[in-house]
Amino acid sequence: RISPFGMGRRRGVWAAAWCASLAAAVKPVLEGYDVVRYFPEFGRQVVLGSPDLSYTLFTSGGKYNGTFFFSSNETLAAFVSDPWKFAPRWGGF
């Protein structure tokens, strides 16, 4: 069994590769489009978000967990302040 905690000097390299592989495996909600930009107060635009500006929303019971990508710090902050205002209704992620 390989653990990132028992590899000495190589631990940091292995852990970085492991984190990168997890990031590549994330399938974002709405294929990575910024859900906040769809709202009138943010211009009703279709804008692709960035994995560098992401937020994972966990729900009770874990039924609708999802990672959202955002196009700016402003839209990320708006989502974090009230995620259920912007998250797709009826789950869908």
Side-chain angles (χ1 to χ4, degrees):
R1 182 171 150 197
I2 297 174
S3 167
F5 303 108
M7 297 181 67
R9 292 182 318 156
R10 296 185 306 169
R11 175 178 60 206
V13 174
W14 189 88
W18 180 68
C19 290
S21 68
L22 280 179
V26 170
K27 295 192 190 298
V29 175
L30 292 178
E31 298 181 16
Y33 285 90
D34 187 336
V35 295
V36 176
R37 290 282 183 186
Y38 287 100
F39 284 76
E41 58 268 36
F42 291 94
R44 285 192 178 165
Q45 300 171 351
V46 178
V47 179
L48 192 59
S50 167
D52 295 331
L53 296 169
S54 65
Y55 181 84
T56 301
L57 179 63
F58 296 100
T59 60
S60 59
K63 187 174 180 183
Y64 296 116
N65 297 340
T67 299
F68 295 80
F69 288 178
F70 301 94
S71 58
S72 70
N73 285 319
E74 178 187 19
T75 58
L76 171 60
F79 186 86
V80 170
S81 71
D82 189 3
W84 294 111
K85 175 180 178 182
F86 301 105
R89 301 289 187 255
W90 312 106
F93 55 92

